[in-house]
Amino acid sequence: MSYLMRVELPDVPGSLGRVATAIGMSGGDIEAIEIVEKRPDGTALDDVLLEIPQGTMPDSIVSACSAVDAVKVLWISHYPSGGSLVLDLEAVEEITANAAHAFDKLVDLLPATFRVDWGMRVHRAKGVAYATSAAPDEFEFVEIEEPVRLEVDGDENTVYAAARLDGNDIIVIGRRGGPEYVDSELARLGHLSALALTIANA
């Protein structure tokens, strides 16, 4: 089964290798690794896409990684079978190839690009104008100028983030159970939204 794990580790040579060794020794197989953020305090956040054989518990992978000096497992979750991490550049290429529907193509790409459960485009007057599966049927438009984390009353299980597309549309993403969006993810969301607007208006 596929799992996605976020780890905090020292941003020094050899740290990732020690984590990879711990994963391998506990029965996991690394499919892909993406650097989420490098921090000024000398640590980094990495997302690790794992294949864990039937019968192996994710907890054993977490325990093995946590035993590595200065490494913390922040989050692990089942990841859809056959899923792959989509780089921002690949997302831009797909949006460009579908320029006439740039906003909605961006929404389609959000779950894989940001490892979230769903994405949507919310219009100021119409509400949810386009969404991936599992997204809420209704969502209130929020007036924002830059990418932000959102708090939604009545939903403590999902973390939300949003970015402005134009004066009438925003992009919203939702991730059940965390982890919280880091600043670099918000910056990427804003950047991709701005690029989609540029491509749509080209």
Side-chain angles (χ1 to χ4, degrees), residues 13-40:
S15 288
L16 189 56
R18 288 190 287 274
V19 171
T21 298
I23 291 170
M25 293 291 289
S26 54
D29 184 32
I30 296 175
E31 298 288 328
I33 296 175
E34 181 176 334
I35 298 171
V36 176
E37 185 174 66
K38 292 194 173 190
R39 295 169 163 174

Short mmCIF file of all heavy atoms in Angstrom, two decimals, residues 13-40:
data_model
loop_
_atom_site.label_atom_id
_atom_site.label_comp_id
_atom_site.label_asym_id
_atom_site.label_seq_id
_atom_site.Cartn_x
_atom_site.Cartn_y
_atom_site.Cartn_z
N PRO A 13 24.20 17.03 5.02
CA PRO A 13 24.47 15.82 4.24
C PRO A 13 24.34 14.56 5.10
O PRO A 13 24.80 14.52 6.24
CB PRO A 13 25.91 16.02 3.77
CG PRO A 13 26.10 17.51 3.75
CD PRO A 13 25.30 18.01 4.92
N GLY A 14 23.70 13.56 4.53
CA GLY A 14 23.58 12.27 5.21
C GLY A 14 22.28 12.06 5.95
O GLY A 14 21.91 10.92 6.24
N SER A 15 21.57 13.16 6.28
CA SER A 15 20.33 13.00 7.06
C SER A 15 19.29 12.19 6.31
O SER A 15 18.68 11.27 6.85
CB SER A 15 19.75 14.38 7.41
OG SER A 15 20.53 15.02 8.38
N LEU A 16 19.09 12.54 5.05
CA LEU A 16 18.08 11.83 4.27
C LEU A 16 18.49 10.38 4.05
O LEU A 16 17.64 9.48 4.05
CB LEU A 16 17.87 12.53 2.92
CG LEU A 16 16.70 12.04 2.08
CD1 LEU A 16 15.40 12.09 2.86
CD2 LEU A 16 16.59 12.86 0.80
N GLY A 17 19.76 10.15 3.90
CA GLY A 17 20.25 8.78 3.75
C GLY A 17 19.96 7.93 4.97
O GLY A 17 19.58 6.76 4.85
N ARG A 18 20.11 8.51 6.16
CA ARG A 18 19.82 7.77 7.39
C ARG A 18 18.32 7.46 7.49
O ARG A 18 17.93 6.39 7.94
CB ARG A 18 20.31 8.56 8.61
CG ARG A 18 21.83 8.58 8.73
CD ARG A 18 22.28 9.15 10.06
NE ARG A 18 22.09 10.60 10.12
CZ ARG A 18 22.96 11.49 9.67
NH1 ARG A 18 24.09 11.08 9.11
NH2 ARG A 18 22.72 12.78 9.79
N VAL A 19 17.50 8.42 7.07
CA VAL A 19 16.06 8.18 7.07
C VAL A 19 15.71 7.07 6.08
O VAL A 19 14.92 6.17 6.38
CB VAL A 19 15.29 9.47 6.73
CG1 VAL A 19 13.81 9.17 6.51
CG2 VAL A 19 15.46 10.50 7.83
N ALA A 20 16.31 7.13 4.89
CA ALA A 20 16.04 6.10 3.88
C ALA A 20 16.46 4.71 4.37
O ALA A 20 15.76 3.72 4.13
CB ALA A 20 16.80 6.45 2.59
N THR A 21 17.57 4.66 5.07
CA THR A 21 18.03 3.37 5.62
C THR A 21 17.03 2.84 6.65
O THR A 21 16.70 1.66 6.66
CB THR A 21 19.42 3.53 6.27
OG1 THR A 21 20.36 3.93 5.27
CG2 THR A 21 19.88 2.23 6.90
N ALA A 22 16.55 3.75 7.51
CA ALA A 22 15.58 3.34 8.53
C ALA A 22 14.31 2.82 7.88
O ALA A 22 13.73 1.82 8.33
CB ALA A 22 15.27 4.52 9.44
N ILE A 23 13.87 3.48 6.81
CA ILE A 23 12.66 3.04 6.10
C ILE A 23 12.87 1.66 5.51
O ILE A 23 12.03 0.77 5.62
CB ILE A 23 12.28 4.06 5.01
CG1 ILE A 23 11.79 5.36 5.66
CG2 ILE A 23 11.20 3.49 4.08
CD1 ILE A 23 11.61 6.50 4.68
N GLY A 24 14.00 1.48 4.84
CA GLY A 24 14.30 0.19 4.23
C GLY A 24 14.42 -0.93 5.24
O GLY A 24 13.91 -2.04 5.02
N MET A 25 15.06 -0.66 6.38
CA MET A 25 15.24 -1.69 7.41
C MET A 25 13.91 -2.10 8.04
O MET A 25 13.78 -3.23 8.53
CB MET A 25 16.19 -1.17 8.50
CG MET A 25 17.62 -0.97 8.01
SD MET A 25 18.49 -2.51 7.63
CE MET A 25 18.73 -3.17 9.27
N SER A 26 12.93 -1.19 8.00
CA SER A 26 11.63 -1.52 8.60
C SER A 26 10.62 -2.01 7.58
O SER A 26 9.44 -2.17 7.89
CB SER A 26 11.08 -0.30 9.35
OG SER A 26 11.03 0.83 8.51
N GLY A 27 11.08 -2.24 6.33
CA GLY A 27 10.23 -2.89 5.34
C GLY A 27 9.60 -1.97 4.31
O GLY A 27 8.85 -2.43 3.46
N GLY A 28 9.87 -0.68 4.39
CA GLY A 28 9.28 0.26 3.44
C GLY A 28 10.15 0.44 2.20
O GLY A 28 11.36 0.22 2.24
N ASP A 29 9.53 0.84 1.12
CA ASP A 29 10.23 1.09 -0.14
C ASP A 29 9.91 2.52 -0.59
O ASP A 29 8.73 2.87 -0.76
CB ASP A 29 9.80 0.08 -1.20
CG ASP A 29 10.57 0.25 -2.50
OD1 ASP A 29 11.75 0.64 -2.45
OD2 ASP A 29 9.99 -0.02 -3.57
N ILE A 30 10.92 3.34 -0.78
CA ILE A 30 10.71 4.74 -1.16
C ILE A 30 10.44 4.83 -2.66
O ILE A 30 11.23 4.36 -3.48
CB ILE A 30 11.95 5.59 -0.80
CG1 ILE A 30 12.14 5.61 0.72
CG2 ILE A 30 11.79 7.02 -1.32
CD1 ILE A 30 13.40 6.32 1.17
N GLU A 31 9.31 5.46 -3.00
CA GLU A 31 8.94 5.67 -4.39
C GLU A 31 9.37 7.05 -4.90
O GLU A 31 9.76 7.21 -6.05
CB GLU A 31 7.42 5.53 -4.55
CG GLU A 31 6.88 4.15 -4.21
CD GLU A 31 7.25 3.12 -5.24
OE1 GLU A 31 7.35 3.47 -6.42
OE2 GLU A 31 7.47 1.95 -4.86
N ALA A 32 9.28 8.06 -4.04
CA ALA A 32 9.65 9.42 -4.43
C ALA A 32 9.86 10.26 -3.18
O ALA A 32 9.30 9.97 -2.12
CB ALA A 32 8.56 10.06 -5.30
N ILE A 33 10.68 11.29 -3.33
CA ILE A 33 10.93 12.24 -2.24
C ILE A 33 10.85 13.65 -2.80
O ILE A 33 11.38 13.93 -3.88
CB ILE A 33 12.33 12.02 -1.60
CG1 ILE A 33 12.41 10.63 -0.95
CG2 ILE A 33 12.62 13.11 -0.57
CD1 ILE A 33 13.79 10.29 -0.42
N GLU A 34 10.16 14.52 -2.09
CA GLU A 34 10.07 15.91 -2.50
C GLU A 34 10.41 16.81 -1.32
O GLU A 34 9.89 16.62 -0.22
CB GLU A 34 8.67 16.25 -3.01
CG GLU A 34 8.55 17.68 -3.48
CD GLU A 34 7.18 17.98 -4.07
OE1 GLU A 34 6.53 17.03 -4.57
OE2 GLU A 34 6.76 19.13 -4.03
N ILE A 35 11.31 17.76 -1.54
CA ILE A 35 11.63 18.74 -0.50
C ILE A 35 10.50 19.75 -0.44
O ILE A 35 10.20 20.42 -1.42
CB ILE A 35 12.97 19.44 -0.80
CG1 ILE A 35 14.11 18.42 -0.82
CG2 ILE A 35 13.25 20.53 0.24
CD1 ILE A 35 15.43 18.98 -1.32
N VAL A 36 9.85 19.86 0.71
CA VAL A 36 8.74 20.79 0.90
C VAL A 36 9.26 22.17 1.28
O VAL A 36 8.82 23.19 0.76
CB VAL A 36 7.77 20.28 1.98
CG1 VAL A 36 6.67 21.29 2.25
CG2 VAL A 36 7.17 18.93 1.56
N GLU A 37 10.24 22.19 2.20
CA GLU A 37 10.72 23.47 2.70
C GLU A 37 12.07 23.30 3.36
O GLU A 37 12.32 22.32 4.05
CB GLU A 37 9.70 24.03 3.70
CG GLU A 37 10.00 25.42 4.22
CD GLU A 37 8.89 25.95 5.09
OE1 GLU A 37 8.66 25.38 6.18
OE2 GLU A 37 8.23 26.92 4.69
N LYS A 38 12.95 24.29 3.13
CA LYS A 38 14.20 24.40 3.88
C LYS A 38 14.08 25.60 4.80
O LYS A 38 13.71 26.68 4.37
CB LYS A 38 15.39 24.56 2.93
CG LYS A 38 15.66 23.32 2.10
CD LYS A 38 17.03 23.39 1.44
CE LYS A 38 17.35 22.07 0.75
NZ LYS A 38 18.75 22.00 0.31
N ARG A 39 14.37 25.39 6.08
CA ARG A 39 14.11 26.41 7.08
C ARG A 39 15.39 27.11 7.53
O ARG A 39 16.48 26.51 7.49
CB ARG A 39 13.43 25.78 8.29
CG ARG A 39 12.05 25.21 7.98
CD ARG A 39 11.55 24.37 9.13
NE ARG A 39 10.12 24.14 9.05
CZ ARG A 39 9.47 23.34 9.87
NH1 ARG A 39 10.11 22.69 10.82
NH2 ARG A 39 8.16 23.19 9.75
N PRO A 40 15.26 28.35 7.99
CA PRO A 40 16.43 29.09 8.46
C PRO A 40 17.11 28.46 9.67
O PRO A 40 18.29 28.72 9.93
CB PRO A 40 15.85 30.47 8.84
CG PRO A 40 14.57 30.58 8.08
CD PRO A 40 14.04 29.19 7.97
#
